[in-house]
Every structure is written in C-alpha cells, then in structure tokens.
C-alpha cells in the first residue's frame, strides 16, 4: 500500500506569531502574472485565518462563517456580492481585520464575473467580490450531515493528513460559487483507490490557471492543481447543476485525499502543542494505533532531522536543538511510522 506511510504522517506547523504580525505582504510591484497574484491572495487569506485562530485559543473560523455571511449568485442579487462594505459583505468577515482590509485579495485576477445592483454605484457593473471558498470540513458543518469523517475545529486538530496535506481555501468556478463553503462529499473514499464509483462533485473548482485551481493548505503554502478529468472542467456553456455523480473521477479522489480522514484515523496520532524553549524545540505526542514512530523536525519541509522516538500507547516527549533565529517563519514536526 503506497499510501500507508503518508497516511500516518503528521506534520505540525509552529507558526511564529511574531512572524505573522510583522511579515508584510509581498510587494505588489514584483507580481508579474495573474497566477502569482492569485497564489499570494490565498497565502494572505490563509495567514489571516491562522492569525484569527491564534487570537481565539486555536478555534477556527468555519467554512460557513468566514465570508461574513455573504452569498454569491449569477446574476447578482444583493449589493454584498459587488460591494465589499455592504451588510454581510466581505468587510464584515471575521478575517477582515487580519487581511489589512484589502478587498482585492478576495478575488482571482482571472475572475471576470461582474454584476450590478441599483443600490451600488447607481447600478453600474462591478466585479463580484470573491473567488474563493473554504474546505467545508474545516470548521464544518460536515457535508450533508455525513458522519465518521473528521471536522477540524481547532488549529491542533490538523494531525492527519497533516497541515501540509489538508487544503483550506480553493478557487471556485464562478458558476458554482455561492456561499463560502466548498463541499466535498467523502462518500466512497478509500486511500490508495482512486477509482471511486461513488465519487460526486458537489462544488466545482476553478480552472483559471492552465486548467487548474489555486489551493492553499493549512501550513500556509498555496499551489495550483491542474484538473485531469473533463467532467471537472465543463465548457462555459455548461449549465451547472451542483452535487452530481462523477464515478471514477480522479480529481474527486485528489480533493477527498486532501480534505479529511476517518475520525478514528485522524485522532490516532495526537501531538501536544510544540513549544520552542530557547533553542530547544519540544513536542509531546500520544499515539494510540499500536505502532512506534520516529519524530522528525524541519524548518523547510525538506530537510528533516530525527528528534526522537515516540512509543505507542503512552505520552512521549521529544526535543531537538534547532537554530530558530534564521528567519524561518515556521518549523514542523512529523511522526514517521517505523516499518
Ligand atoms: Zn486564481
């Protein structure tokens, strides 16, 4: 099973709060193309989401709340769809104050959908305010009341598939986007079995960037994923029913893989909050799946250093000395299962 090890890999980002506060947004002068701007947008919004959670003892703003209540439609039916400052507009989002009050970061530059409303600028056409939605399993509620899959509600819930493997925000197709909740139906998901006969598309991802969507992850990075199945990227004249069967669609599997896991799997591996103490970097872990793990640390997700052994069935603590004054903004723990 190619996935058995990845599956139990947990990566925990330690987000340095000071870095979050002081790190200025990337200078717009260096932005050269729409995709780079879009990825910057997602990084900034995801950073805002993290900073908000840090300010609220780790509690997450949910997929159903992060937009401030706004709903998008085609054609536009409410001023909040084109006016950031309208009631229920994005300026009323709980994340707004963490974004530097920048309405432009809520839109992909390639999203050209516009609308008009008599209550905004005398009915002149204006761009819609938002192009992104949030993984519905982040903060929930669970899609369609599905049980058995983990709904992440706190920052330290992201143990499996881990911060680098769980998506937070995604560009959504303009005909599909409505509320801020991007629905992923977990029905039929089995790791290592991309051929899922029960696969469904709930909401359609965007395909603005070489046929792909911009997607951010809990560890703060953002990347474009290019869709493989034409059913994920219907032509513009397609009339968009949402929540449709898409059996065997590899893109659905790709999304499910990065969305959530079975509750018992997601809870089998628990880290306490890693702490930086001087140059000593510590984490406690509790593992209940009967296997031993090597604890590894890194500050770049590439160069991992072995930090200790975590034994199954008991609370274990491991620590490692790292240079934490080298301008890295975050460091990572992971537990690698011993084969
Ligand atoms: Zn984009």
């Amino acid at each position: 099973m190619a996935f058995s090890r990845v599956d139990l890999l947990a990566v925990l980002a330690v987000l340095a709060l000071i870095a979050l506060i002081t790190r200025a947004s990337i200078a717009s002068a260096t932005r050269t193309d729409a995709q780079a701007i879009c990825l910057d947008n997602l990084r900034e919004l995801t950073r805002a989401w993290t900073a908000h959670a840090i300010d609220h003892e780790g509690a997450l703003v949910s997929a159903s709340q992060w937009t401030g209540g706004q709903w998008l439609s085609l054609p536009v039916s409410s001023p909040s769809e084109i006016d950031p400052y309208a009631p229920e507009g994005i300026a009323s989002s709980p994340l707004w104050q963490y974004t530097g009050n920048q309405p432009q970061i809520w839109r992909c530059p390639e999203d050209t959908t516009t609308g008009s409303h008599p209550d905004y600028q005398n009915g002149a056409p204006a761009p819609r305010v938002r192009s992104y939605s949030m993984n519905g399993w982040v903060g929930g509620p669970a899609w369609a009341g599905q049980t058995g899959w983990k709904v992440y509600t706190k920052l330290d819930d992201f143990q499996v598939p881990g911060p680098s493997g769980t998506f937070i925000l995604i560009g959504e197709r303009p005909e599909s986007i409505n509320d801020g909740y991007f629905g992923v139906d977990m029905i039929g998901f089995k790791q290592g079995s991309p051929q899922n006969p029960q696969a469904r598309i709930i909401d359609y991802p965007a395909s603005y960037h070489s046929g792909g969507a911009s997607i951010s992850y809990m560890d703060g990075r953002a990347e474009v994923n290019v869709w493989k199945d034409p059913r994920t990227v219907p032509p513009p004249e397609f009339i968009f029913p949402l929540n449709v069967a898409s059996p065997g669609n590899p893109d659905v599997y790709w999304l499910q893989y990065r969305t959530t896991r079975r509750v018992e799997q997601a809870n089998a591996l628990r880290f306490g909050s890693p702490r930086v103490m001087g140059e000593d970097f510590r984490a406690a872990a509790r593992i209940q799946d009967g296997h031993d793990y090597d604890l590894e640390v890194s500050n770049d997700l590439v160069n991992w250093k072995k930090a200790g052994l975590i034994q199954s069935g008991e609370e274990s603590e491991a620590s490692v000395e790292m240079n934490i004054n080298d301008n890295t903004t975050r460091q990572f723990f992971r537990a690698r299962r011993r084969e």
Side-chain angles (χ1 to χ4, degrees):
M1 294 293 289
F3 292 94
S4 63
R5 198 166 68 178
V6 176
D7 156 11
L8 285 159
L9 189 77
V11 183
L12 249 202
V14 178
L15 298 159
L17 182 55
I18 292 167
L20 278 171
I21 291 167
T22 57
R23 185 167 164 185
S25 55
I26 295 160
S28 56
T30 65
R31 289 168 171 166
T32 53
D33 61 62
Q35 178 172 312
I37 293 171
C38 186
L39 291 172
D40 277 352
N41 291 347
L42 282 193
R43 287 185 201 104
E44 292 204 35
L45 288 168
T46 304
R47 207 148 50 218
W49 169 85
T50 310
H52 180 278
I54 290 171
D55 268 1
H56 293 80
E57 298 177 343
L60 307 180
V61 170
S62 74
S64 58
Q65 297 165 341
W66 78 284
T67 66
Q70 166 223 72
W71 185 281
L72 296 177
S73 47
L74 278 178
V76 162
S77 65
S78 160
S80 67
E81 302 180 38
I82 48 176
D83 176 6
Y85 302 96
E88 299 196 336
I90 52 174
S92 64
S93 160
L95 303 187
W96 180 253
Q97 64 173 298
Y98 295 89
T99 63
N101 302 349
Q102 304 175 80
Q104 71 275 15
I105 69 170
W106 296 68
R107 290 185 66 251
C108 173
E110 298 283 350
D111 180 356
T112 57
T113 54
T114 60
S116 61
H117 195 279
D119 292 345
Y120 184 61
Q121 295 182 346
N122 297 316
R128 289 202 303 178
V129 293
R130 180 169 58 84
S131 315
Y132 310 117
S133 297
M134 186 177 287
N135 176 354
W137 296 87
V138 171
W143 169 251
Q146 276 180 344
T147 56
W149 304 91
K150 180 79 174 176
V151 175
Y152 302 98
T153 61
K154 304 195 74 171
L155 275 182
D156 66 2
D157 278 351
F158 291 93
Q159 312 272 340
V160 180
S164 62
T166 314
F167 89 89
I168 305 298
L169 294 171
I170 185 169
E172 186 170 350
R173 182 101 177 199
E175 303 93 330
S176 169
I177 196 166
N178 38 48
D179 60 358
Y181 181 107
F182 190 89
V184 176
D185 193 325
M186 292 304 293
I187 190 166
F189 174 69
K190 281 196 199 72
Q191 270 178 263
S193 303
Q195 284 299 318
N196 174 3
Q198 296 173 281
R200 302 185 70 79
I201 295 175
I202 306 304
D203 290 320
Y204 282 83
S207 49
Y208 295 121
H209 307 299
S210 308
S214 297
I215 300 170
S216 72
Y217 295 84
M218 196 268 169
D219 68 359
R221 77 185 200 289
E223 295 165 355
V224 167
N225 183 62
V226 175
W227 308 108
K228 294 190 164 74
D229 192 305
R231 291 173 293 175
T232 316
V233 193
E237 62 270 21
F238 182 72
I239 295 172
F240 273 77
L242 304 180
N243 193 357
V244 296
S246 199
N249 186 329
D251 299 323
V252 173
Y253 175 81
W254 190 95
L255 274 170
Q256 288 177 317
Y257 191 83
R258 287 155 182 80
T259 295
T260 185
R261 286 294 185 279
R262 287 276 176 203
V263 170
E264 57 272 22
Q265 186 183 0
N267 290 343
L269 187 59
R270 299 294 303 177
F271 280 102
S273 299
R275 309 184 298 284
V276 177
M277 306 171 73
E279 295 201 335
D280 196 21
F281 192 43
R282 292 176 179 273
R286 180 163 49 84
I287 289 176
Q288 299 165 308
D289 68 351
H291 296 273
D292 293 344
Y293 288 79
D294 287 312
L295 187 63
E296 299 175 331
V297 297
S298 171
N299 52 16
D300 58 9
L301 283 175
V302 176
N303 300 299
W304 293 93
K305 285 203 261 185
K306 194 169 282 191
L309 169 71
I310 307 173
Q311 287 179 303
S312 178
E314 54 191 52
E315 181 96 8
S316 307
E317 187 161 3
S319 67
V320 66
E321 281 194 8
M322 293 186 78
N323 176 10
I324 58 168
N325 299 312
D326 60 356
N327 292 327
T328 54
T329 55
R330 50 180 76 94
Q331 301 184 28
F332 305 92
F333 266 113
R334 74 179 177 189
R336 183 182 285 275
R337 189 168 126 184
R338 290 203 163 180
E339 300 298 336

